[in-house]
Amino acid sequence: RCEAAEELELFGQPVRNLSARARQALRARLGALSPAIGLINNLNAWENIALPASYHGKPPIAEVAAITGEVLSVFGLEARVFLNRVPEELGKLERKIVAFARLMIAGPELAIIESLNDGLSRAECARVAGFEQEYRRRRPDGTLVFVDIREE
């Protein structure tokens, strides 16, 4: 939380008075995964992963498929079966993996992951260590921030 005299800076730039173009460039360097994962219910996992890249025109779909396959293999998931399932057929960890694959395709310089363990079993929590390992493998120069927000 910023105090009244403080100003939020990202990548050494104050964000308060950024132009629309500068804000857009800044957003391209950021990525987030939150409990409100935002999967589209009538699209399967592959379509949910590929849609942002399709919309923005990058990276190429072949690269999206390669990254997706690599991410799924980290979690021991069979892409052919997994990617055809719609969100309601996925468990909480699986939905987070879909969102994480989408995040890795975007390749953000700063990734913020909120409440990663919420709703997961102890065994699933052990598996999410793969999120950090995979991010660091892909973006060794990047910054990964885990945030756990709980009202008390």
Side-chain angles (χ1 to χ4, degrees):
R1 176 174 96 123
C2 294
E3 299 299 324
E6 294 178 324
E7 191 170 338
L8 177 64
E9 287 186 10
L10 290 171
F11 306 109
Q13 291 183 297
V15 298
R16 178 182 296 173
N17 296 318
L18 289 176
S19 67
R21 177 171 283 181
R23 271 194 312 278
Q24 183 178 7
L26 180 64
R27 278 195 292 267
R29 298 172 70 186
L30 303 172
L33 192 160
S34 76
I37 292 171
L39 300 180
I40 300 172
N41 288 329
N42 65 335
L43 298 181
N44 66 30
W46 167 249
E47 293 163 334
N48 269 286
I49 291 168
L51 182 63
S54 227
Y55 176 78
H56 293 290
K58 62 182 179 182
I61 202 71
E63 186 176 338
V64 172
I67 293 169
T68 300
E70 292 168 8
V71 169
L72 295 182
S73 72
V74 166
F75 296 98
L77 297 169
E78 170 59 45
R80 191 175 34 200
V81 174
F82 181 81
L83 292 174
N84 285 316
R85 295 164 60 198
V86 294
E88 70 182 27
E89 298 171 332
L90 300 171
K92 286 186 181 192
L93 175 60
E94 293 170 322
R95 287 191 298 268
K96 290 180 184 196
I97 291 169
V98 169
F100 181 72
R102 204 168 47 195
L103 185 68
M104 292 301 86
I105 290 161
E109 194 173 326
L110 170 61
I112 302 166
I113 299 180
E114 179 188 344
S115 304
L116 182 60
N117 295 335
D118 279 6
L120 301 181
S121 70
R122 180 170 282 170
E124 289 171 326
C125 286
R127 290 182 68 198
V128 297
F131 282 50
E132 181 173 5
Q133 293 165 352
E134 184 65 8
Y135 177 79
R136 298 215 183 281
R137 184 180 77 76
R138 292 187 172 282
R139 286 303 305 247
D141 60 332
T143 301
L144 180 62
V145 177
F146 290 96
V147 179
D148 191 8
I149 300 172
R150 296 175 199 234
E151 292 186 27
E152 296 189 28

